[in-house]
Each structure stands twice: as structure tokens, then as C-alpha cells.
Amino acid sequence: MAEEKALTPRSEDFSAWYNGVVQRSELAGYSPVRGCMVIRPHGYAIWELMQRALDEMFKATGHQNAYFPLFVPESFLKKEAEHVEGFAPEIALVTRGGGKELEEPLVIRPTSEAIIWPIMADWIQSYRDLPMLINQWANIVRWEMRTRPFLRTLEFLWQEGHTAHATWDDAQRETLLILGLYRKFMEEWMAMPPVTGIKTEWDKFAGADRTYACEAMMQDNWALQAGTSHNLGQNFARAFDVKYQTEEGEHEYVWSTSWGVSTRLVGGLVMTHSDDLGLVLPPKLAPIQVVIVPIWKSEDEKVRVLEAGAQLKSTLEGEIRVKFDDRDTLNPGAKYYEWEEKGVPIRLEIGPKDLEKRQVMAVLRSSADAKRRKLPIPAGDVAARVPDLLDQMQQGLLDAALRRREESSYRGVTDYEEFKKIMSTGGGFIYTGYCGAEECETKVKDDTKATIRVVPDEDFGSETVPDTCICGGAAQHEVVWARAY
RNA sequence: CGGGGCGUGGCGCAGUCCGGUAGCGCGCCUGCUUUGGGAGCAGGAGGUCCCCGGUUCGAAUCCGGGCGCCCCGACCA
């Protein structure tokens, strides 16, 4: 019985395991449309918690939300040369509407620069209007060839920030501010610590001067690009004629940025923490943080246990997202499996024996051997202990993720044979010196499937960087290599 | 777009080779008994067998064509 219901083990087939976790925990389902997914209530609830946390960070740093159209006139997209070129292959185009052929086809936004800048251009007149700090929560469409739930779908949800500044320095400061917020969010909320850094010239966002990214390591040692922040320079300002009048009365192009994270983060969350029992969620992003499961035999016990459970729920409610699972159609064991599969951090069992001892039995989801690790808590202490336990679990997940990342990080690699050996036996993040040539990366990619993720920021760079590249040439700076989603 | 797999009740599958009018497990509904790690028994509902055409007395099964989805690669957040 238990055998049949078990997930494909993570160690056996990571991809099948991932799909299984997503399906079984009811985060998402497939749809009648190829490459599109349905985000189910449990998955959407996680996204809402992410949205709330990020939105507060954006607002606290002076950003405002707005909403721009889904449709972008095709001609708008074509105004920034690199931008069109970059997105051309993945564009979905509407050519008919109201039963008629449209005069000008409408692109379904793959990102909103091309519709936002013509509009923001009108909002920006004077240096007094700057900086202009706008964010929008939206869906976008990119026609990908190969899709996977949350990680890559034709349509996905994200936030995209778009800001305008008076100077390059201001735009750069904004770009790094957001990169920092993303990092903070991923560490403190997701317990998914990223390596941050700058992308190579050829890996930049189409139309950007500089692209920074957060790269997180998944449990299969692949990298997930989890957030990007771009300094767009004056490229879009020139393309869309976004000028402001300076204090001296001169007309200047603004300097702009854009940045985003998407529902891909949910996939990252799954691949960072989950195990063979199913989803594991960091408490801060768990839609249900505590589930109370009552246990009874006789009718009399049922009455008493249900009352105690309801009371326990009301004690925790308010501070904690708590669910009292009082269904009488499932036995307790079935409920345990269900909530473990869905990643609920703490289960509180309450039965006749607990009532007798004036206690509840807590079981923590993050411990791999959940079945054996029961922790009795005196009834009077539950309200105080639960928040502490949640905090400890949150920290424990971050510590574990950091440990995994460091265990699979290799610094100062200079020998290409060693590099290939690491990539072919488990993989990970490999820090090396780099000559700067695109062909060098291409060869490595052909040989090992690994690519340059970023030039690491100061916080992540090695103390000493080899002066030779793995190709044997002279190194200009350090890079981080990994196989990536 | 290449390679592979698959399309049969809500889900997972058997049946296809060798044609005879559809079955199993899970889930769902009703009732009773259960409940400290995926409950038991009894009864019940639910299917254009992906689509179109052909062969045949007869097609889930054979033949031809089409469509779709999943997985693995090349491109990408």
C-alpha cells in the first residue's frame, strides 16, 4: 500500500520526482494547452505569500504599483533593436480581433518595456519627476519549446519593476538595490540562498547594458536563475524618446532599469527543500504552518478531542496560519501523509492520551525521519513554543541549503580535466578564472553542458582567483559555472 | 525541430501481438463498523476506448491518415 503511493525517489530520477511532488502536493496541474499550467489553490497561496513579502519590500523602498496592457503593438517592440531580436523567437502574436484582421498585429507581452516606456515618457517631464519607480504584477507569454511546471511555461506570473533615473549612478544603485532585495527575500523567506553576480555580455537581457542575477543551487546541484535585475542604460530611453528637463533646462535621456522574479520561484522552492515524502516548505511561505490532527476511538473521546482541537486552533489563530483537520472520513495516518505531502511544517496530534497528560504531540516536517520524531509539548506551552519551532525550522532549512551549496561548490579550479570530472560526477558550482572569450564558454558547454552563471559579486568571489582560465589562457576575472535550468 | 513513450471512467493502468462488443487498482457516492502512520465489509454511480476514414458479419484490437500530451536533447526566466 505505502509502496504504491510513494513518490519516485529524488535520488532515482530528479525530474520525475519534481513532477511528482508538484502534482501530488496539488501545487499545479497540466492544462489542455501545451506548455501551460494550472496553478492550484495550494500553489497559488504560496505565490500570494511571496507577492506580499516582495510587494512590501518594493513599497518600503519607494516603488509604486501600476498596471499596463497585455497587448503591445508590434511596431513598439521593434523600436529597440536588440530587444526585438532577443524576443522574436518567443513572441505570440494576435492578428485577429472582433472577427476582423487587425490593422497592426498585437504582441502578447513577453515583458513590458515596449509598452511601458512610451507611456512613462509622458509622465516624465522634469528632473523633479525622477526617480520614477514603478512595478507591476502581471502575466506574460514566452513561446518556449520545452516546458516544465513552474520552471518554464508558455504563460507565467511575475512582477516587473521599471524605473527611470537622472544619472547612470542612480540607475546602477537601483539595479543593485533590487538585486539585494531579491537576495534577502530568497534567503530570509525562501531559505534558498542564491549566489549573485553579473551576467556575461552575451547572456544579458535583450536591450540591457548590464544584467545581474540570483543563481540558486537546487538539490540536483543544477543552478536556477531565480531573479534578474537589469541596468538598461539609456537604450530604452533613446528607443522610446524618454527625456526629462534638467535643473539647467537641458533635455536629457533618462537612465532606466528593469527587474523581475516569477512563479519560477515556486519551482525553486520545491527543488531546494522537498524530499521523498513530498513538499517541504519554509514556515514563512507555508500557506498552512500548523495542522492539528485529532485522534479518537469512542464517541466520548471524539467529543472531547474535537473540543480540545478547536480550542487549540483558536489559541494559535491570528499569529499562526493554522488548520484544524476535523474530517471524520480519513483516519489519522492518512491525514499525516496528506499534510506531509503538502509541506505543512508542524503537525500537532491531539488524542485521548494527550488530553490525559495535558499535552499535544508535535511532529516537524523538516526532519527527514518525521515518522519517529515526535515532540510532546505541554498544552499550556503550545502558543509560546510553536512560533519558536517555526523560526528554528526556517533557520534550519536555510542552514541546510547553505551547507549543501558549499559542499557542492569548488573553488580555484584550473585543470579542465578536473572540471569535467566534477561536472560528470554530481556537478555543482565551479569557480574558476576566466579568459573572457565566448568561444571558451561554448566549448565547455558542448563538453559538459555547464555554462557561466555569473561573475560572482564580492560576497561570493574567492579570496584568491587563479590567474589562468580552464582553457589555459590568461584569466581576466572569476566566474561561476554550473548546469542550469 | 530531432529522438523516445503514451492516448481506454476523476487518476494510474491491463486488454492490442492472436478481432467477438470493456476490466483492475486508487478515488467518488450510500450504509454499518473503524480511527495513535495511507481502515474493513456490503452495495452503487461513472467510459464518444484521442479523431477521421478503410477492411470485416463484427474493430479498443488490423490498415491508412490526422491530432494531442508527456519525457529526453538543441533555445530560454
Side-chain angles (χ1 to χ4, degrees):
Chain A
M1 183 70 81
E3 293 277 312
E4 286 169 27
K5 297 190 175 183
L7 289 163
T8 302
R10 191 176 60 206
S11 57
E12 189 177 296
D13 182 341
F14 196 83
S15 179
W17 166 81
Y18 172 80
N19 289 329
V21 173
V22 169
Q23 299 295 319
R24 294 275 288 278
S25 62
E26 296 183 353
L27 293 183
Y30 294 109
S31 82
V33 184
R34 178 195 80 86
C36 292
M37 68 187 285
V38 176
I39 305 178
R40 301 182 64 175
H42 192 46
Y44 201 79
I46 294 172
W47 177 238
E48 286 179 313
L49 289 167
M50 289 178 166
Q51 280 184 303
R52 196 189 304 169
L54 287 163
D55 205 59
E56 278 176 16
M57 288 178 167
F58 299 152
K59 301 262 174 69
T61 46
H63 301 82
Q64 290 183 295
N65 285 334
Y67 187 79
F68 298 85
L70 169 72
F71 298 121
V72 182
E74 193 177 22
S75 58
F76 282 34
L77 199 78
K78 291 181 173 164
K79 289 187 181 177
E80 214 288 334
E82 286 185 17
H83 193 58
V84 217
E85 202 186 319
F87 282 105
E90 35 193 281
I91 287 303
L93 202 62
V94 177
T95 58
R96 290 184 67 83
K100 285 186 298 191
E101 206 70 18
L102 300 178
E103 279 189 29
E104 179 179 354
L106 295 170
V107 169
I108 300 177
R109 62 181 168 217
T111 178
S112 298
E113 278 78 1
I115 186 77
I116 284 184
W117 286 112
I119 295 167
M120 297 242 292
D122 288 345
W123 298 355
I124 297 169
Q125 301 291 328
S126 144
Y127 69 94
R128 294 188 174 114
D129 298 322
L130 298 177
M132 187 161 285
L133 307 173
I134 298 294
N135 176 64
Q136 88 164 343
W137 292 94
N139 60 335
I140 60 176
V141 167
R142 296 181 185 177
W143 215 264
E144 302 290 350
M145 303 197 186
R146 182 151 138 51
T147 58
R148 307 181 54 154
F150 289 112
L151 303 177
R152 177 164 298 103
T153 47
L154 297 198
E155 179 193 4
F156 58 95
L157 306 182
W158 77 343
Q159 61 63 218
E160 47 182 321
H162 298 273
T163 68
H165 306 266
T167 66
W168 184 91
D169 282 346
D170 286 351
Q172 180 64 13
R173 236 189 315 278
E174 169 78 5
T175 307
L176 294 178
L177 168 74
I178 297 297
L179 185 73
L181 291 187
Y182 285 163
R183 176 182 168 187
K184 186 179 163 72
F185 172 75
M186 289 174 203
E187 288 172 348
E188 295 182 6
W189 288 76
M190 298 180 67
M192 182 182 83
V195 169
T196 65
I198 191 166
K199 289 284 186 184
T200 59
E201 282 299 304
W202 51 90
D203 199 20
K204 290 185 311 192
F205 173 74
D209 271 3
R210 291 185 177 182
T211 287
Y212 294 83
C214 295
E215 297 280 340
M217 187 189 286
M218 304 294 102
Q219 291 185 85
D220 59 354
N221 291 345
W222 282 45
L224 181 75
Q225 183 172 308
T228 49
S229 185
H230 318 286
N231 184 336
L232 303 176
Q234 291 181 314
N235 300 335
F236 285 87
R238 290 180 199 281
F240 294 97
D241 198 34
V242 190
K243 287 180 178 168
Y244 72 101
Q245 201 164 5
T246 65
E247 232 168 319
E248 293 77 32
E250 303 294 319
H251 290 272
E252 301 281 356
Y253 287 116
V254 300
W255 300 83
S256 63
T257 79
S258 72
W259 28 274
V261 294
S262 72
T263 38
R264 177 179 246 203
L265 290 177
V266 178
L269 202 60
V270 172
M271 292 195 293
T272 301
H273 304 299
S274 299
D275 59 23
D276 288 348
L277 291 176
L279 195 58
V280 172
L281 291 173
K284 283 183 167 186
L285 292 176
I288 299 172
Q289 295 171 307
V290 173
V291 64
I292 301 165
V293 178
I295 299 156
W296 66 78
K297 280 195 171 72
S298 66
E299 197 59 26
D300 172 58
E301 284 172 353
K302 178 176 176 182
V303 172
R304 283 161 47 221
V305 161
L306 285 180
E307 197 202 314
Q311 204 174 341
L312 183 57
K313 183 191 177 195
S314 65
T315 310
L316 294 171
E317 239 165 9
E319 195 179 353
I320 305 293
R321 292 186 289 273
V322 56
K323 171 156 184 91
F324 179 33
D325 187 353
D326 58 358
R327 290 175 292 178
D328 60 5
T329 49
L330 293 178
N331 69 22
K335 293 178 184 177
Y336 301 166
Y337 280 101
E338 180 174 331
W339 296 116
E340 279 166 1
E341 200 160 64
K342 288 187 175 171
V344 176
I346 298 180
R347 174 173 75 244
L348 297 178
E349 303 174 9
I350 179 163
K353 292 178 203 164
D354 301 303
L355 289 185
E356 217 170 282
K357 296 183 198 164
R358 298 181 187 285
Q359 66 175 28
V360 300
M361 202 60 88
V363 183
L364 310 186
R365 176 62 180 91
S366 56
S367 53
D369 50 349
K371 294 185 183 183
R372 270 151 289 162
R373 296 188 58 184
K374 302 203 173 188
L375 174 72
I377 301 177
D381 296 350
V382 176
R385 287 291 304 283
V386 164
D388 283 348
L389 285 171
L390 290 172
D391 285 348
Q392 285 169 28
M393 293 173 81
Q394 181 82 32
Q395 187 62 43
L397 288 173
L398 177 61
D399 292 345
L402 276 168
R403 198 179 329 116
R404 276 196 306 274
R405 190 183 77 193
E406 289 318 303
E407 279 170 1
S408 294
S409 291
Y410 304 86
R411 292 176 184 272
V413 173
T414 52
D415 176 27
Y416 191 40
E417 290 309 314
E418 184 191 349
F419 183 101
K420 286 195 281 195
K421 192 178 172 195
I422 294 167
M423 280 302 169
S424 63
T425 56
F429 285 8
I430 305 184
Y431 294 67
T432 72
Y434 183 53
C435 63
E438 188 172 359
E439 310 81 68
C440 174
E441 185 191 21
T442 308
K443 175 173 165 40
V444 174
K445 186 179 180 183
D446 289 345
D447 289 350
T448 67
K449 286 196 263 183
T451 53
I452 295 173
R453 302 322 304 156
V454 285
V455 178
D457 285 338
E458 210 180 329
D459 286 359
F460 302 97
S462 307
E463 281 180 26
T464 54
V465 179
D467 49 18
T468 58
C469 178
I470 42 175
C471 69
Q476 295 180 358
H477 53 76
E478 187 172 37
V479 293
V480 184
W481 301 82
R483 292 195 187 126
Y485 280 96

